[in-house]
Amino acid sequence: MATTNTAITSGVRVSVSTQFRTDLSDPLNSRFFFNYRVSVENQNAFPVMLMHRDWYIFDSLNEVDFVSGEGVVGEQPIIESEKRFSYISGCELNSEIGQMKGFYTFKNLLTEELFQVHIPQFDLFYPPKLN
């Protein structure tokens, strides 16, 4: 079952939906793989560039993992006013229950100012665990 979480920060709307991947997971060996689809919509009157990402990954059996890096999926996309950029990525957990959240750093291409945009927290649940 896919869920969608949305947040708007500084005129940028971020929506995340998740999906458990049975084909990439191995529950007997504590491998639970999830895809997440992120849609970023620029609701500002100016173009922005997604410069950096910072993720906090919570796995119920492990310490919080922090992932930081330039852009997303190998890109630093420019998103024009009223346009959208979407991508799909994935996360593997060692437990049936987890969460992710974070933020993007964007650049306002008119002023060159950097600003942060909240990525809403979303749950990663192994579907049989929900029963």
Side-chain angles (χ1 to χ4, degrees), residues 1-130:
M1 176 193 336
T3 58
T4 302
N5 293 34
T6 300
I8 300 173
T9 311
S10 300
V12 178
R13 177 186 176 110
V14 178
S15 298
V16 184
S17 60
T18 62
Q19 180 180 24
F20 177 70
R21 295 287 304 268
T22 56
D23 59 324
L24 298 176
S25 297
D26 184 0
L28 295 177
N29 290 305
S30 299
R31 292 184 58 221
F32 302 89
F33 195 88
F34 300 85
N35 277 134
Y36 55 91
R37 184 180 198 280
V38 180
S39 178
V40 180
E41 181 181 351
N42 180 12
Q43 299 177 337
N44 292 296
F46 51 84
V48 297
M49 177 184 256
L50 196 163
M51 304 295 294
H52 202 269
R53 72 186 181 287
D54 291 278
W55 286 105
Y56 297 92
I57 304 168
F58 304 91
D59 185 332
S60 64
L61 295 178
N62 293 306
E63 297 290 321
V64 173
D65 193 17
F66 178 70
V67 176
S68 182
E70 287 189 2
V72 291
V73 293
E75 297 182 52
Q76 288 184 312
I78 293 173
I79 308 169
E80 298 292 336
S81 176
E82 303 303 323
K83 298 295 182 188
R84 178 178 293 135
F85 173 81
S86 297
Y87 70 95
I88 296 173
S89 192
C91 176
E92 184 177 313
L93 301 179
N94 297 115
S95 72
E96 301 169 330
I97 299 171
Q99 293 178 326
M100 289 178 65
K101 69 178 182 178
F103 61 91
Y104 296 124
T105 301
F106 278 88
K107 181 190 288 188
N108 175 328
L109 293 181
L110 293 183
T111 65
E112 300 291 314
E113 288 181 58
L114 299 178
F115 62 99
Q116 289 186 346
V117 171
H118 176 70
I119 303 168
Q121 181 171 295
F122 54 94
D123 296 325
L124 303 169
F125 288 127
Y126 175 52
K129 194 68 172 175
L130 298 176

